[in-house]
Amino acid sequence: MLRPQIPTNPKPTGHTTPPVVIQPTAVVPSTQTPPSVPVALASSRPTIQLTPGAVVTVAGMGLAAVLVIGAVLVSILLAVAVTAASVAVCALVIRSILAGDTRR
């Protein structure tokens, strides 16, 4: 009932079609049109002009964002280090408890 059956490959019929040969075609250049003069389009968006005070504000906000993200990453790294140290201390305590049982 659950015996695997190996499929048989169909035998080739012997009638194969020859490969189609594609002939290259000649490239016919189109008529040359004179280059058009580019026209400056009016932008639909208003141009943003930053004052020196705005530049200082944007730079200050960027610096604040970098400092906050850095503080978060450092605190995550510190949490990982404290966790690793506590796991190492627990492993030493368990090892010493198990070693004490075998001596008795």
mmCIF file of all heavy atoms in Angstrom, residues 18-52:
data_model
loop_
_atom_site.group_PDB
_atom_site.id
_atom_site.type_symbol
_atom_site.label_atom_id
_atom_site.label_comp_id
_atom_site.label_asym_id
_atom_site.label_seq_id
_atom_site.Cartn_x
_atom_site.Cartn_y
_atom_site.Cartn_z
ATOM 1 N N PRO A 18 14.253 21.205 -36.142
ATOM 2 C CA PRO A 18 15.565 21.862 -36.170
ATOM 3 C C PRO A 18 15.470 23.239 -35.522
ATOM 4 O O PRO A 18 14.413 23.856 -35.508
ATOM 5 C CB PRO A 18 15.880 21.973 -37.670
ATOM 6 C CG PRO A 18 14.556 21.923 -38.340
ATOM 7 C CD PRO A 18 13.672 21.065 -37.475
ATOM 8 N N PRO A 19 16.571 23.717 -34.962
ATOM 9 C CA PRO A 19 16.536 25.038 -34.335
ATOM 10 C C PRO A 19 16.292 26.127 -35.375
ATOM 11 O O PRO A 19 16.731 26.034 -36.520
ATOM 12 C CB PRO A 19 17.919 25.182 -33.707
ATOM 13 C CG PRO A 19 18.786 24.221 -34.438
ATOM 14 C CD PRO A 19 17.881 23.100 -34.876
ATOM 15 N N VAL A 20 15.566 27.123 -34.954
ATOM 16 C CA VAL A 20 15.232 28.242 -35.834
ATOM 17 C C VAL A 20 16.413 29.194 -35.890
ATOM 18 O O VAL A 20 16.962 29.581 -34.859
ATOM 19 C CB VAL A 20 13.976 28.969 -35.317
ATOM 20 C CG1 VAL A 20 13.635 30.147 -36.204
ATOM 21 C CG2 VAL A 20 12.810 28.005 -35.227
ATOM 22 N N VAL A 21 16.830 29.572 -37.096
ATOM 23 C CA VAL A 21 17.931 30.505 -37.277
ATOM 24 C C VAL A 21 17.341 31.898 -37.420
ATOM 25 O O VAL A 21 16.496 32.143 -38.277
ATOM 26 C CB VAL A 21 18.770 30.141 -38.525
ATOM 27 C CG1 VAL A 21 19.882 31.153 -38.727
ATOM 28 C CG2 VAL A 21 19.313 28.739 -38.394
ATOM 29 N N ILE A 22 17.799 32.807 -36.580
ATOM 30 C CA ILE A 22 17.311 34.176 -36.623
ATOM 31 C C ILE A 22 18.294 34.999 -37.432
ATOM 32 O O ILE A 22 19.486 35.056 -37.129
ATOM 33 C CB ILE A 22 17.165 34.741 -35.204
ATOM 34 C CG1 ILE A 22 16.170 33.897 -34.421
ATOM 35 C CG2 ILE A 22 16.738 36.194 -35.232
ATOM 36 C CD1 ILE A 22 16.068 34.277 -32.974
ATOM 37 N N GLN A 23 17.790 35.625 -38.464
ATOM 38 C CA GLN A 23 18.617 36.452 -39.335
ATOM 39 C C GLN A 23 18.678 37.872 -38.772
ATOM 40 O O GLN A 23 17.661 38.426 -38.357
ATOM 41 C CB GLN A 23 18.033 36.496 -40.760
ATOM 42 C CG GLN A 23 17.967 35.146 -41.438
ATOM 43 C CD GLN A 23 19.359 34.597 -41.711
ATOM 44 O OE1 GLN A 23 20.307 35.341 -41.879
ATOM 45 N NE2 GLN A 23 19.464 33.272 -41.730
ATOM 46 N N PRO A 24 19.880 38.464 -38.723
ATOM 47 C CA PRO A 24 19.964 39.844 -38.240
ATOM 48 C C PRO A 24 19.332 40.804 -39.244
ATOM 49 O O PRO A 24 19.364 40.581 -40.453
ATOM 50 C CB PRO A 24 21.472 40.084 -38.105
ATOM 51 C CG PRO A 24 22.098 39.096 -39.028
ATOM 52 C CD PRO A 24 21.183 37.902 -39.069
ATOM 53 N N THR A 25 18.748 41.836 -38.724
ATOM 54 C CA THR A 25 18.134 42.846 -39.590
ATOM 55 C C THR A 25 18.995 44.096 -39.588
ATOM 56 O O THR A 25 19.750 44.358 -38.659
ATOM 57 C CB THR A 25 16.725 43.199 -39.079
ATOM 58 O OG1 THR A 25 16.846 43.673 -37.740
ATOM 59 C CG2 THR A 25 15.802 41.988 -39.109
ATOM 60 N N ALA A 26 18.873 44.845 -40.651
ATOM 61 C CA ALA A 26 19.648 46.083 -40.776
ATOM 62 C C ALA A 26 18.984 47.184 -39.959
ATOM 63 O O ALA A 26 17.764 47.276 -39.884
ATOM 64 C CB ALA A 26 19.731 46.509 -42.240
ATOM 65 N N VAL A 27 19.810 48.023 -39.345
ATOM 66 C CA VAL A 27 19.309 49.139 -38.563
ATOM 67 C C VAL A 27 19.199 50.341 -39.482
ATOM 68 O O VAL A 27 20.186 50.769 -40.092
ATOM 69 C CB VAL A 27 20.245 49.452 -37.381
ATOM 70 C CG1 VAL A 27 19.760 50.665 -36.602
ATOM 71 C CG2 VAL A 27 20.361 48.245 -36.495
ATOM 72 N N VAL A 28 18.003 50.880 -39.595
ATOM 73 C CA VAL A 28 17.763 52.024 -40.463
ATOM 74 C C VAL A 28 17.683 53.260 -39.576
ATOM 75 O O VAL A 28 16.826 53.338 -38.706
ATOM 76 C CB VAL A 28 16.451 51.850 -41.260
ATOM 77 C CG1 VAL A 28 16.203 53.058 -42.144
ATOM 78 C CG2 VAL A 28 16.493 50.571 -42.065
ATOM 79 N N PRO A 29 18.593 54.232 -39.768
ATOM 80 C CA PRO A 29 18.526 55.428 -38.929
ATOM 81 C C PRO A 29 17.300 56.261 -39.287
ATOM 82 O O PRO A 29 16.922 56.375 -40.455
ATOM 83 C CB PRO A 29 19.822 56.172 -39.229
ATOM 84 C CG PRO A 29 20.245 55.682 -40.563
ATOM 85 C CD PRO A 29 19.720 54.280 -40.700
ATOM 86 N N SER A 30 16.681 56.822 -38.267
ATOM 87 C CA SER A 30 15.512 57.661 -38.511
ATOM 88 C C SER A 30 15.976 59.055 -38.903
ATOM 89 O O SER A 30 17.139 59.410 -38.793
ATOM 90 C CB SER A 30 14.640 57.717 -37.261
ATOM 91 O OG SER A 30 15.384 58.321 -36.224
ATOM 92 N N THR A 31 15.039 59.845 -39.329
ATOM 93 C CA THR A 31 15.376 61.218 -39.724
ATOM 94 C C THR A 31 15.751 62.003 -38.480
ATOM 95 O O THR A 31 15.130 61.876 -37.427
ATOM 96 C CB THR A 31 14.187 61.886 -40.415
ATOM 97 O OG1 THR A 31 13.085 61.889 -39.503
ATOM 98 C CG2 THR A 31 13.820 61.155 -41.685
ATOM 99 N N GLN A 32 16.813 62.786 -38.609
ATOM 100 C CA GLN A 32 17.312 63.564 -37.489
ATOM 101 C C GLN A 32 16.435 64.795 -37.285
ATOM 102 O O GLN A 32 16.150 65.524 -38.222
ATOM 103 C CB GLN A 32 18.756 64.005 -37.758
ATOM 104 C CG GLN A 32 19.734 62.865 -37.862
ATOM 105 C CD GLN A 32 20.088 62.328 -36.484
ATOM 106 O OE1 GLN A 32 20.032 63.047 -35.520
ATOM 107 N NE2 GLN A 32 20.452 61.060 -36.428
ATOM 108 N N THR A 33 16.018 65.005 -36.045
ATOM 109 C CA THR A 33 15.267 66.216 -35.723
ATOM 110 C C THR A 33 16.202 67.146 -34.968
ATOM 111 O O THR A 33 17.041 66.688 -34.193
ATOM 112 C CB THR A 33 14.046 65.892 -34.838
ATOM 113 O OG1 THR A 33 14.506 65.262 -33.656
ATOM 114 C CG2 THR A 33 13.072 64.988 -35.551
ATOM 115 N N PRO A 34 16.096 68.418 -35.177
ATOM 116 C CA PRO A 34 16.974 69.344 -34.460
ATOM 117 C C PRO A 34 16.652 69.289 -32.962
ATOM 118 O O PRO A 34 15.498 69.105 -32.578
ATOM 119 C CB PRO A 34 16.649 70.715 -35.047
ATOM 120 C CG PRO A 34 15.294 70.565 -35.641
ATOM 121 C CD PRO A 34 15.166 69.132 -36.053
ATOM 122 N N PRO A 35 17.688 69.374 -32.130
ATOM 123 C CA PRO A 35 17.435 69.316 -30.687
ATOM 124 C C PRO A 35 16.580 70.488 -30.239
ATOM 125 O O PRO A 35 16.766 71.618 -30.678
ATOM 126 C CB PRO A 35 18.833 69.377 -30.067
ATOM 127 C CG PRO A 35 19.708 69.959 -31.124
ATOM 128 C CD PRO A 35 19.086 69.583 -32.450
ATOM 129 N N SER A 36 15.618 70.190 -29.401
ATOM 130 C CA SER A 36 14.726 71.244 -28.921
ATOM 131 C C SER A 36 15.424 72.026 -27.817
ATOM 132 O O SER A 36 16.260 71.509 -27.082
ATOM 133 C CB SER A 36 13.425 70.642 -28.389
ATOM 134 O OG SER A 36 13.720 69.778 -27.309
ATOM 135 N N VAL A 37 15.059 73.264 -27.698
ATOM 136 C CA VAL A 37 15.629 74.137 -26.686
ATOM 137 C C VAL A 37 14.930 73.822 -25.362
ATOM 138 O O VAL A 37 13.702 73.827 -25.289
ATOM 139 C CB VAL A 37 15.423 75.621 -27.066
ATOM 140 C CG1 VAL A 37 15.953 76.543 -25.977
ATOM 141 C CG2 VAL A 37 16.066 75.902 -28.403
ATOM 142 N N PRO A 38 15.695 73.482 -24.321
ATOM 143 C CA PRO A 38 15.031 73.169 -23.050
ATOM 144 C C PRO A 38 14.359 74.401 -22.468
ATOM 145 O O PRO A 38 14.910 75.498 -22.467
ATOM 146 C CB PRO A 38 16.176 72.688 -22.154
ATOM 147 C CG PRO A 38 17.409 73.246 -22.760
ATOM 148 C CD PRO A 38 17.133 73.364 -24.242
ATOM 149 N N VAL A 39 13.156 74.183 -21.999
ATOM 150 C CA VAL A 39 12.379 75.273 -21.416
ATOM 151 C C VAL A 39 12.365 75.068 -19.910
ATOM 152 O O VAL A 39 12.066 73.976 -19.427
ATOM 153 C CB VAL A 39 10.931 75.260 -21.970
ATOM 154 C CG1 VAL A 39 10.099 76.350 -21.328
ATOM 155 C CG2 VAL A 39 10.955 75.383 -23.480
ATOM 156 N N ALA A 40 12.708 76.096 -19.191
ATOM 157 C CA ALA A 40 12.708 76.011 -17.734
ATOM 158 C C ALA A 40 11.268 76.017 -17.246
ATOM 159 O O ALA A 40 10.524 76.968 -17.472
ATOM 160 C CB ALA A 40 13.481 77.172 -17.132
ATOM 161 N N LEU A 41 10.865 74.907 -16.598
ATOM 162 C CA LEU A 41 9.508 74.821 -16.090
ATOM 163 C C LEU A 41 9.446 75.432 -14.692
ATOM 164 O O LEU A 41 10.361 75.275 -13.893
ATOM 165 C CB LEU A 41 9.065 73.354 -16.026
ATOM 166 C CG LEU A 41 9.022 72.619 -17.370
ATOM 167 C CD1 LEU A 41 8.698 71.152 -17.148
ATOM 168 C CD2 LEU A 41 7.992 73.264 -18.275
ATOM 169 N N ALA A 42 8.358 76.095 -14.421
ATOM 170 C CA ALA A 42 8.171 76.678 -13.106
ATOM 171 C C ALA A 42 7.791 75.565 -12.139
ATOM 172 O O ALA A 42 6.916 74.761 -12.420
ATOM 173 C CB ALA A 42 7.086 77.744 -13.150
ATOM 174 N N SER A 43 8.460 75.492 -11.022
ATOM 175 C CA SER A 43 8.192 74.465 -10.033
ATOM 176 C C SER A 43 6.900 74.782 -9.301
ATOM 177 O O SER A 43 6.622 75.932 -8.957
ATOM 178 C CB SER A 43 9.350 74.384 -9.034
ATOM 179 O OG SER A 43 9.039 73.459 -8.032
ATOM 180 N N SER A 44 6.114 73.736 -9.077
ATOM 181 C CA SER A 44 4.856 73.947 -8.362
ATOM 182 C C SER A 44 5.085 73.993 -6.854
ATOM 183 O O SER A 44 4.208 74.402 -6.116
ATOM 184 C CB SER A 44 3.865 72.826 -8.707
ATOM 185 O OG SER A 44 4.404 71.581 -8.294
ATOM 186 N N ARG A 45 6.277 73.551 -6.402
ATOM 187 C CA ARG A 45 6.584 73.577 -4.979
ATOM 188 C C ARG A 45 7.285 74.887 -4.621
ATOM 189 O O ARG A 45 8.103 75.385 -5.393
ATOM 190 C CB ARG A 45 7.489 72.418 -4.606
ATOM 191 C CG ARG A 45 6.815 71.078 -4.785
ATOM 192 C CD ARG A 45 7.721 69.979 -4.339
ATOM 193 N NE ARG A 45 8.864 69.878 -5.254
ATOM 194 C CZ ARG A 45 9.925 69.117 -5.039
ATOM 195 N NH1 ARG A 45 10.026 68.417 -3.946
ATOM 196 N NH2 ARG A 45 10.894 69.066 -5.919
ATOM 197 N N PRO A 46 6.987 75.414 -3.458
ATOM 198 C CA PRO A 46 7.702 76.639 -3.058
ATOM 199 C C PRO A 46 9.140 76.317 -2.665
ATOM 200 O O PRO A 46 9.441 75.247 -2.172
ATOM 201 C CB PRO A 46 6.901 77.140 -1.853
ATOM 202 C CG PRO A 46 6.245 75.911 -1.314
ATOM 203 C CD PRO A 46 5.970 75.020 -2.507
ATOM 204 N N THR A 47 10.013 77.249 -2.909
ATOM 205 C CA THR A 47 11.417 77.082 -2.564
ATOM 206 C C THR A 47 11.614 77.343 -1.075
ATOM 207 O O THR A 47 11.091 78.314 -0.530
ATOM 208 C CB THR A 47 12.284 78.066 -3.368
ATOM 209 O OG1 THR A 47 12.025 77.870 -4.744
ATOM 210 C CG2 THR A 47 13.752 77.854 -3.089
ATOM 211 N N ILE A 48 12.350 76.442 -0.422
ATOM 212 C CA ILE A 48 12.599 76.611 1.011
ATOM 213 C C ILE A 48 13.876 77.421 1.178
ATOM 214 O O ILE A 48 14.932 77.057 0.674
ATOM 215 C CB ILE A 48 12.732 75.241 1.704
ATOM 216 C CG1 ILE A 48 11.441 74.463 1.581
ATOM 217 C CG2 ILE A 48 13.117 75.409 3.161
ATOM 218 C CD1 ILE A 48 11.534 73.057 2.117
ATOM 219 N N GLN A 49 13.773 78.490 1.908
ATOM 220 C CA GLN A 49 14.934 79.321 2.179
ATOM 221 C C GLN A 49 15.182 79.306 3.677
ATOM 222 O O GLN A 49 14.321 79.657 4.470
ATOM 223 C CB GLN A 49 14.689 80.752 1.698
ATOM 224 C CG GLN A 49 14.537 80.846 0.191
ATOM 225 C CD GLN A 49 14.285 82.263 -0.272
ATOM 226 O OE1 GLN A 49 14.106 83.162 0.542
ATOM 227 N NE2 GLN A 49 14.266 82.456 -1.566
ATOM 228 N N LEU A 50 16.379 78.838 4.052
ATOM 229 C CA LEU A 50 16.717 78.741 5.456
ATOM 230 C C LEU A 50 17.510 79.965 5.897
ATOM 231 O O LEU A 50 18.480 80.360 5.257
ATOM 232 C CB LEU A 50 17.543 77.479 5.718
ATOM 233 C CG LEU A 50 16.832 76.146 5.486
ATOM 234 C CD1 LEU A 50 17.798 74.993 5.680
ATOM 235 C CD2 LEU A 50 15.658 76.004 6.411
ATOM 236 N N THR A 51 17.085 80.506 7.010
ATOM 237 C CA THR A 51 17.827 81.617 7.591
ATOM 238 C C THR A 51 18.946 81.042 8.447
ATOM 239 O O THR A 51 18.929 79.859 8.788
ATOM 240 C CB THR A 51 16.889 82.480 8.464
ATOM 241 O OG1 THR A 51 16.382 81.660 9.514
ATOM 242 C CG2 THR A 51 15.726 83.029 7.641
ATOM 243 N N PRO A 52 19.929 81.836 8.805
ATOM 244 C CA PRO A 52 21.005 81.319 9.668
ATOM 245 C C PRO A 52 20.480 80.759 10.989
ATOM 246 O O PRO A 52 20.975 79.759 11.497
ATOM 247 C CB PRO A 52 21.906 82.526 9.895
ATOM 248 C CG PRO A 52 21.669 83.397 8.708
ATOM 249 C CD PRO A 52 20.232 83.185 8.329
#
